[in-house]
Amino acid sequence: MQYSHSVGANLYRFTDLKDLLAKATPARSGDYLAGVAAETYAERMAARMCLAAVPLRQFLQEVVVPYEEDEVTRLIIDSHDANAFAEISHLTVGDFRDWLLSDEADSAVLKRVSPGITPEMAAAVSKLMRNQDLILVAKKCHVTTAFRNTIGLPGHLSVRLQPNHPTDDARGIAASMLDGLLYGSGDAVIGINPATDSIPALMDLYYLVDEVINQYAIPTQSCVLTHVTNQIQVMERGAPVDLVFQSIAGTEKANQTFGINIGILQEAYEAALALKRGTIGNNVMYFETGQGSALSANANFGVDQQTIEARAYAVARKFSPLLSNTVVGFIGPEYLYDGKQIIRAGLEDHFCGKLLGLPLGCDVCYTNHAEADQDDMDTLMTLLATAGLTFIMGIPGADDIMLNYQTTSFHDALYLRKVLGLKPAPEFEQWLRKMNIMDDNGNVRPVTNSHHMLQNMPRNLLSAA
Amino acid sequence: MKKDVNPLSNNPLADSPLPPDNSLSASSAFSVDPWQQLKSFTRARIALGRVGSSLPTREILDFGMSHAMARDAVHLALDVDALCQGLENDGHETLQVHSRALDRASYLLRPDFGRKLDDAAISRLQAACPTKPIDFLLVVGDGLSSLAVERHVQLLVAEIKSAMPPEWQLGPIVVASQARVAIADEIGELMKAKMVAMLIGERPGLSSPDSLGIYLTYGPRAGMSDADRNCISNVRPEGLNYAPAAKKLLWLAREAMRLKVSGVALKDESDSTEVEVQPLNLLE
């Protein structure tokens, strides 16, 4: 297929679908760094006009990374559901936007069509959508998952409690955990980014979180965000592993630089399923992604970073994860320069993820060398929660002292729940009430020294009581 | 006639620290968290208290100041002349060079520019390359924290100098502006140095705006990767202090010289109990 568009006397030509997608993408530093971005404002709009006329069917004919060379492309093409696609197969990308926004495309219809949508189709249509479109359509996509509680019900917002400590100090981690639980956070997962790679030290972390979950009978799940091969090892040694984590990207080559492939993920997935630790559901995976990771691994194949990101969701959805997290501003200003770019990327990722059927949450975050601050995070988290975001991060005071970046806090989660009337996962909400942490109106209750959780501290903290 | 006074001097709080918890807890809006004692276990921002469900003013300001310091560390230019003057006062020769990144904005947007020398720097280094071969070349880069370089480099270099084998030829200290780690390899190659150690400002964290990193390469040449370097991170008095950092670096450097390799092939087995990073100071 030839891709070109005339505006007055100017004819804009695009080499192929991948070039067209890149040129149509809203401006961001990573695409300039990769040398794939539009060179002028007019070229970008011409690309969008050209893209709007491309039939969705073309995306099944023309892949952005060669089928023979890339297992992610093979996964996308081989698992494509032609029956689900039939309903939208007559549409162009521009028509697809209109259809998605129409009242006809309600939650049930979107769920039915989802397996027929490829990541590239989702990315393409997102490039024609304004921020409000991304919010409106994502809000219609309902993705519910379960392990020890139910995640993703409409009207609910969950929180990953992230009690990181720079040296994995058990008391430091337990202190942050207690802080988060008493602020009503932790229903998505209690997930630690460990500093260590050592298997015995990782085992200790699993036992630490598991003990706290058992001690207070919390309907939630734990995760230690180490390499998937480490998690396979600790499962073999009998560690109490709830969710298996892995960072993933949208090309085989990028995943290789992470030391993984679909086969390794499958092995870990089956091992976690076999543990049967979920009480009400079997979603055992937790994935993290982020725009720019493929380029930073020099494995982007000339594809724009947002399209590659959407391709990572094809890998994620193969494993029916409990949670999938786009870590939007962590990568740095050479990929997403400022608050505007981070906000746009967060909304795109959430839209694409939800459309493809993933329980998408967002690490709404930035580093100190990006042109962003906590006001930008407020804007993005409010927009995403409005769009039905599945979960955010909860870190004490939004300051991660282990990973050295700023994200969202327990207080932020309370703000979102209050302003938008959102609730924690129902089983967790019941627990919060039982523990006198939350009242019947969803407000946090004053905690005094006599509170059960302070009177019965986790073992590691007893010396401080 | 009005007296010419600093308007802030009339404000009793202008120069004093923010009031402690108990003064604010008097406000009925402020709800104190009764698990304050857990703060001794972590520097994470726990037990912040709340107003309604939001952060109290004190915490908003405290966070804002930490962020401001980290931002300044990234954006305030390194005073290269002052740094070189200080190093020269200590008896070192210095050489100033610049990367291909013209300014901070292009530095942040184009990491590749920060990894390469500009043309003037290449000629300067070629002209300066000494006849007597350099064993151990020190390069200082502003990186992402000029604050880290200003606070720590002179003191760290003194420790390195005193820990170094006396027979090693040091060469001039090269100070590189708008620099990323890899630029040191190109500098080392042009100076025909056997080894190069890059002292560079690390990406500032909210609680660590002035953290310095050290990267060691044996047989430096342009185009080497992270796997070819050994890294020592979080060098600052609150993290890994100067003397243990210098000791660790020299252990690695001696081993690199002996094995003729650096990076993943060179395992750090320096006495870990003595040089372990001190994670937190409970008295802070």
Side-chain angles (χ1 to χ4, degrees):
Chain A
M1 192 168 169
Q2 298 269 323
Y3 300 100
S4 63
H5 189 82
S6 298
V7 181
N10 285 331
L11 177 66
Y12 294 92
R13 286 180 191 282
F14 307 96
T15 328
D16 49 21
L17 185 56
K18 150 175 102 171
D19 182 45
L20 180 65
L21 287 167
K23 299 260 163 62
T25 305
R28 67 202 57 195
S29 49
D31 288 338
Y32 288 108
L33 184 64
V36 300
E39 283 175 20
T40 62
Y41 290 97
E43 187 187 27
R44 179 169 295 118
M45 282 316 301
R48 286 185 194 165
M49 287 171 169
C50 182
L51 180 60
V54 175
L56 290 181
R57 269 196 223 94
Q58 180 64 18
F59 289 80
L60 300 172
Q61 302 303 315
E62 187 179 351
V63 294
V64 295
V65 182
Y67 181 92
E68 297 72 20
E69 290 170 30
D70 188 277
E71 67 172 7
V72 179
T73 301
R74 290 196 291 277
L75 172 67
I76 291 166
I77 297 299
D78 297 349
S79 67
H80 183 251
D81 184 335
N83 287 330
F85 181 62
E87 211 163 328
I88 53 169
S89 62
H90 60 292
L91 300 176
T92 63
V93 178
D95 297 336
F96 188 35
R97 176 188 168 277
D98 292 342
W99 181 82
L100 286 170
L101 290 162
S102 73
D103 294 330
E104 172 199 340
D106 62 17
S107 300
V109 171
L110 290 172
K111 191 181 275 298
R112 189 169 70 222
V113 170
S114 178
I117 301 170
T118 67
E120 290 85 351
M121 292 175 196
V125 74
S126 80
K127 295 174 195 300
L128 306 183
M129 294 167 82
R130 280 173 44 192
N131 286 0
Q132 64 164 280
D133 304 341
L134 299 172
I135 292 170
L136 192 149
V137 178
K139 176 124 184 154
K140 294 196 283 185
C141 300
H142 299 163
V143 182
T144 309
T145 58
F147 189 78
R148 287 196 196 106
N149 56 21
T150 314
I151 305 284
L153 293 169
H156 291 68
L157 173 73
S158 293
V159 183
R160 168 187 163 192
L161 204 173
Q162 185 171 312
N164 295 345
H165 187 277
T167 58
D168 297 334
D169 182 274
R171 295 168 308 170
I173 288 170
S176 288
M177 248 194 286
L178 201 63
D179 194 66
L181 291 168
L182 288 167
Y183 270 86
S185 278
D187 51 340
V189 61
I190 300 177
I192 305 170
N193 297 88
T196 182
D197 247 350
S198 117
I199 297 294
L202 290 169
M203 300 277 290
D204 289 346
L205 293 178
Y206 281 102
Y207 287 114
L208 166 67
V209 187
D210 194 50
E211 217 175 283
V212 172
I213 288 177
N214 287 328
Q215 181 181 347
Y216 301 125
I218 312 170
T220 191
Q221 37 281 330
S222 74
C223 189
V224 177
L225 286 76
T226 182
H227 195 266
V228 68
T229 51
N230 289 339
Q231 294 168 88
I232 292 173
Q233 279 194 54
V234 299
M235 281 190 274
E236 284 166 359
R237 294 188 188 197
V241 175
D242 291 344
L243 304 184
V244 165
F245 158 82
Q246 182 56 45
S247 283
I248 55 172
T251 67
E252 179 179 342
K253 191 177 167 197
N255 283 328
Q256 250 167 33
T257 68
F258 292 169
I260 58 144
N261 55 46
I262 294 172
I264 293 174
L265 294 176
Q266 182 71 33
E267 186 188 339
Y269 174 60
E270 286 168 11
L273 276 181
L275 296 180
K276 295 191 167 52
R277 291 177 56 84
T279 49
I280 63 164
N282 268 330
N283 301 107
V284 295
M285 301 298 279
Y286 173 30
F287 292 113
E288 288 192 349
T289 62
Q291 290 192 24
S293 60
L295 174 59
S296 110
N298 203 15
N300 62 312
F301 297 89
V303 181
D304 69 90
Q305 65 185 35
Q306 189 248 333
T307 300
I308 293 263
E309 168 72 6
R311 284 168 52 95
Y313 303 159
V315 178
R317 77 170 163 179
K318 176 176 166 59
F319 299 101
S320 313
L322 183 78
L323 309 160
S324 195
N325 180 18
T326 174
V327 186
V328 74
F330 187 73
I331 193 159
E334 62 268 41
Y335 300 93
L336 294 168
Y337 188 66
D338 56 12
K340 182 179 170 73
Q341 293 184 8
I342 292 171
I343 288 165
R344 174 73 197 180
L347 293 172
E348 289 166 348
D349 293 351
H350 179 246
F351 160 79
C352 288
K354 284 286 170 71
L355 191 62
L356 294 169
L358 281 181
L360 215 93
C362 184
D363 191 340
V364 175
C365 66
Y366 63 104
T367 57
N368 286 317
H369 60 319
E371 290 298 315
D373 60 22
Q374 225 59 29
D375 287 336
D376 297 305
M377 302 304 105
D378 288 345
T379 304
L380 180 54
M381 76 173 97
T382 308
L383 294 176
L384 282 172
T386 305
L389 183 74
T390 305
F391 64 103
I392 61 167
M393 305 306 109
I395 280 86
D399 170 14
D400 190 311
I401 58 169
M402 146 78 188
L403 296 171
N404 275 336
Y405 76 120
Q406 285 92 255
T407 166
T408 49
S409 66
F410 309 134
H411 293 76
D412 291 332
L414 294 176
Y415 147 77
L416 290 172
R417 284 173 179 166
K418 186 182 270 185
V419 163
L420 297 169
L422 302 170
K423 295 172 168 186
E427 302 82 358
F428 191 81
E429 183 183 17
Q430 217 173 7
W431 178 81
L432 290 174
R433 290 210 184 123
K434 198 177 93 191
M435 299 298 285
N436 282 319
I437 294 170
M438 209 177 87
D439 68 19
D440 289 344
N441 301 319
N443 292 318
V444 274
R445 299 181 59 146
V447 170
T448 63
N449 246 328
S450 61
H451 190 273
H452 170 70
M453 289 176 71
L454 295 176
Q455 286 302 308
N456 300 280
M457 290 262 201
R459 185 170 53 87
N460 306 85
L461 296 177
L462 279 180
S463 58
Chain B
M1 187 177 153
K2 279 184 189 168
K3 270 165 69 180
D4 184 20
V5 292
N6 176 349
L8 286 177
S9 66
N10 286 330
N11 179 351
L13 288 178
D15 291 312
S16 60
L18 289 161
D21 286 1
N22 51 10
S23 71
L24 274 175
S25 65
S27 151
S28 60
F30 182 86
S31 166
V32 179
D33 296 329
W35 54 96
Q36 299 293 320
Q37 77 276 21
L38 298 186
K39 282 182 170 177
S40 64
F41 293 144
T42 178
R43 291 173 69 165
R45 293 173 194 254
I46 61 167
L48 300 182
R50 53 188 177 83
V51 280
S53 48
S54 300
L55 281 173
T57 304
R58 186 170 52 100
E59 298 301 337
I60 292 284
L61 294 176
D62 184 58
F63 184 101
M65 180 53 86
S66 296
H67 185 236
M69 289 176 65
R71 296 290 290 160
D72 281 343
V74 173
H75 286 280
L76 289 181
L78 174 65
D79 188 341
V80 176
D81 290 333
L83 176 70
C84 289
Q85 191 59 57
L87 290 168
E88 282 165 22
N89 292 345
D90 290 347
H92 299 281
E93 265 184 75
T94 63
L95 247 175
Q96 298 182 13
V97 296
H98 204 283
S99 78
R100 287 190 182 272
L102 289 178
D103 52 26
R104 222 13 31 174
S106 74
Y107 176 84
L108 291 173
L109 284 166
R110 295 294 301 263
D112 50 328
F113 290 173
R115 295 184 194 118
K116 294 196 186 83
L117 292 163
D118 68 7
D119 292 337
I122 293 173
S123 343
R124 189 169 309 149
L125 290 169
Q126 280 166 340
C129 182
T131 45
K132 206 171 173 187
I134 296 173
D135 295 301
F136 195 47
L137 181 72
L138 293 181
V139 177
V140 177
D142 47 3
L144 283 165
S145 175
S146 58
L147 193 64
V149 174
E150 279 171 16
R151 284 191 183 161
H152 310 314
V153 159
Q154 209 179 331
L155 297 162
L156 177 63
V157 166
E159 293 287 351
I160 292 171
K161 188 79 194 297
S162 69
M164 205 179 75
E167 67 276 16
W168 280 10
Q169 196 65 31
L170 194 60
I173 296 175
V174 182
V175 179
S177 296
Q178 307 293 6
R180 302 247 176 201
V181 171
I183 202 171
D185 296 337
E186 190 184 6
I187 294 171
E189 183 177 19
L190 288 167
M191 295 291 278
K192 300 195 172 66
K194 285 186 195 159
M195 274 185 299
V196 62
M198 170 61 129
L199 320 181
I200 190 165
E202 291 183 327
R203 195 184 86 191
L206 219 55
S207 54
S208 55
D210 65 338
S211 190
L212 195 75
I214 309 177
Y215 293 82
L216 177 76
T217 315
Y218 181 86
R221 56 189 191 282
M224 294 176 91
S225 79
D226 288 342
D228 301 314
R229 304 182 194 106
N230 292 89
C231 170
I232 301 170
S233 185
N234 196 27
V235 177
R236 56 195 185 107
E238 302 84 357
L240 183 64
N241 213 340
Y242 310 130
K247 189 177 167 195
K248 199 178 183 67
L249 173 63
L250 267 302
W251 187 92
L252 286 167
R254 282 196 189 87
E255 284 297 290
M257 202 69 121
R258 187 172 69 83
L259 300 167
K260 301 193 185 325
V261 71
S262 59
V264 290
L266 173 58
K267 283 270 175 272
D268 182 4
E269 290 159 11
S270 60
D271 187 354
S272 56
T273 54
E274 269 184 73
V275 296
E276 195 69 74
V277 177
Q278 291 303 309
L280 65 145
N281 179 352
L282 295 180
L283 299 175
E284 264 183 10

